[in-house]
Amino acid sequence: MPRSFRQDRGLRAPLKSRSGIQAHMSFVACTIISVVVLTVSCRMGNANPLLMLRSAFSFVTTPVIYAGSLITAPVRALGNVVSNLSASPSSISDLRAENEQLKAQLVQLQEAQETANRLQQLVQLKNTYHLQSTAARIISGDSDTWSSSLKIDKGSNDGLAVGMPVTTSSGVIGQIIATTPTTSTVLRITDESSSVAAMVQSSRAQGMLTGSATGQIYLSLVRSTETVHVGDMIITSGLGGVFPKGLPIAQVTNVENTAGSLYLTITVSALSKGENDEEVLVITSLTEDQRASAEDIAAADSQDRQSTQESSENSSSTTAVSEGADDTSDNSTNTSTNTTGNGAAQ
Amino acid sequence: MEIKHQQTQSPVLFVLSITMLLLQVAIVPQLGIFAGKINLMLILALYVCLNQKTTHPVVFSFVAGVLFDLATTGPLGLMALCLTLVSGWITTFVLPRYTGEVSYALIIATVSSLTVSLLYHIILLIVSSEASFFSTMLARMLPTFLCTLIVSIPFFVHPSARSKNVMGTRSKRSSFSYRR
């Protein structure tokens, strides 16, 4: 045996005996600690206080994990390519089918989201105006070319009746004209037989909103002395007791003041187009504050009386002029038309 | 001489340990075959035990196991227990016969990897609600064992792996050699 090795053994023997005991002790201690920690970890589950250590470790090593993720990104991408290349045709076709299914589900979910948004707007409308109403879904549009109407999926079984107003979150769309136990037909405000008592929101000038065969909507019976601007909002006046007061209906798009005429010719555009709506709110009853007040009725009456008076005065003066003068060409109608957005008529 | 060697070995071991820990935390979770992941802490513990890079291989292995447990989602103390047991077995029974041969080191590494992987997953099966024994063994244990074994080969084949130990000699005597 070489001398150095013997010397080495001789020197190390006492040390080794000490270190051997230490090694045994450390082995026993480490084993016991491991078993205790393992037992605590398994028995206490999420209430384990040692989990704080793991959280701290995780917090400290987060930057390292991010760095590792960045470093291994190309390798993982390569792995994906390899696994894609080695994928069996059946698994690829399965994945394609699953992809199609997921796409269809995505569209359904987006549709559900849109529906939820619309319903939420309806609920907001209901809350804003304190409407007693029933929600319904539009199930079909115009059934014929003669009338402008639509069908909803609620009928007399749900408490709906003829005459009830129908609105969407953007504005009034019409009035129920017929019901079956399960469906109702709604006459749109664009129909020529439709008329809704309305008023200009800014000037409170009252009139009647009527449809036409062309689909245009007019606000009639507004005196030419009233101030109406293009862009003004038209709301329900509550007169007649059918529509609640204050619901938005349309917006003024054109105002014509024909000289000598008692009334303005006001063209409006409906806020709710109807064909783009899917859910509606049928107003089943009105509260007292939703009806037109006594002041509104009095204002409408005075407006009507004034118009009648002016009409009779005009007719008498016209008769006198036609009788006393030959130059009837001087009384030709002077029409001023405002088609632009900033037009106004008085 | 002993002190001198300890001084020269310690920084190397420290750097190696930190590197292995960083790799275990950052890289290993991103790579793997099936559910199998490389156990770098096991490789580090085996390397240190077989080559006597520290005077307290069991404690070193225990700490490596604790760090592994902290870096993973398994029960705390499980890998620490496994590595402690394996390092105890190596220092008590393997090192007295170990002469630094590569083949012998690889056999020890294989047996140790298999033992630790098996023990770890069996205990996990017992303590967790993992359902299938065979799927756990085939999809988790076996890939983990194979990955760990493949990555560990350079540590025992490379000449620097058989460098002088803390006692200043080639790796051929254990700390318990006084018993013979």
Side-chain angles (χ1 to χ4, degrees), chain B residues 91-121:
Chain B
T91 51
T92 308
F93 299 106
V94 174
L95 281 182
R97 295 174 186 81
Y98 182 53
T99 55
E101 292 170 10
V102 175
S103 57
Y104 192 63
L106 285 176
I107 289 169
I108 298 303
T110 306
V111 172
S112 302
S113 293
L114 186 61
T115 307
V116 168
S117 301
L118 204 59
L119 192 63
Y120 186 82
H121 287 93

Side-chain angles (χ1 to χ4, degrees), chain A residues 2-270:
Chain A
R3 191 174 182 279
S4 60
F5 185 68
R6 270 188 273 124
Q7 280 180 339
D8 188 43
R9 286 198 70 180
L11 282 170
R12 284 164 55 192
L15 286 172
K16 280 194 171 182
S17 65
R18 278 204 303 274
S19 65
I21 294 166
Q22 281 178 357
H24 278 296
M25 285 179 68
S26 60
F27 173 74
V28 172
C30 289
T31 306
I32 290 170
I33 293 169
S34 302
V35 170
V36 169
V37 169
L38 178 60
T39 308
V40 170
S41 178
C42 293
R43 297 281 296 214
M44 297 188 73
N46 288 334
N48 179 8
L50 295 169
L51 286 179
M52 285 176 64
L53 267 177
R54 181 174 277 165
S55 302
F57 185 83
S58 176
F59 177 74
V60 170
T61 55
T62 301
V64 181
I65 294 169
Y66 273 116
S69 177
L70 282 175
I71 292 165
T72 55
V75 180
R76 277 180 289 145
L78 197 66
N80 286 339
V81 169
V82 171
S83 64
N84 286 345
L85 287 174
S86 60
S88 65
S90 64
S91 66
I92 289 173
S93 64
D94 286 348
L95 284 172
R96 280 189 180 141
E98 191 181 346
N99 190 30
E100 292 299 321
Q101 199 179 352
L102 289 172
K103 275 182 183 171
Q105 280 180 1
L106 180 67
V107 171
Q108 281 177 359
L109 286 173
Q110 283 173 340
E111 191 60 23
Q113 175 75 41
E114 290 294 322
T115 306
N117 289 342
R118 286 196 302 269
L119 290 173
Q120 197 171 6
Q121 286 172 346
L122 279 180
V123 170
Q124 279 173 356
L125 178 82
K126 186 176 175 177
N127 292 336
T128 305
Y129 291 96
H130 306 288
L131 299 174
Q132 294 175 338
S133 56
T134 302
R137 190 179 294 273
I138 296 173
I139 52 176
S140 76
D142 297 328
S143 56
D144 56 65
T145 56
W146 297 106
S147 65
S148 180
S149 62
L150 49 88
K151 212 172 271 287
I152 57 175
D153 66 346
K154 295 270 173 72
S156 54
N157 283 352
D158 303 291
L160 304 193
V162 172
M164 286 181 175
V166 181
T167 182
T168 65
S169 56
S170 48
V172 172
I173 60 167
Q175 196 174 358
I176 292 178
I177 53 167
T179 59
T180 69
T182 53
T183 60
S184 299
T185 306
V186 178
L187 187 72
R188 290 181 182 174
I189 54 173
T190 50
D191 190 273
E192 61 185 322
S193 62
S194 162
S195 60
V196 179
M199 63 181 175
V200 181
Q201 191 176 32
S202 57
S203 65
R204 317 307 284 179
Q206 305 209 17
M208 190 64 75
L209 203 73
T210 52
S212 66
T214 58
Q216 281 281 8
I217 312 172
Y218 299 98
L219 182 65
S220 57
L221 302 178
V222 176
R223 283 194 303 127
S224 55
T225 53
E226 296 286 348
T227 306
V228 181
H229 296 279
V230 171
D232 279 351
M233 193 65 75
I234 308 298
I235 58 172
T236 51
S237 65
L239 290 171
V242 176
F243 287 87
K245 186 182 171 184
L247 279 180
I249 313 177
Q251 204 168 15
V252 176
T253 55
N254 185 34
V255 183
E256 288 180 20
N257 187 5
T258 307
S261 173
L262 291 175
Y263 301 107
L264 296 173
T265 306
I266 303 169
T267 311
V268 300
S269 169

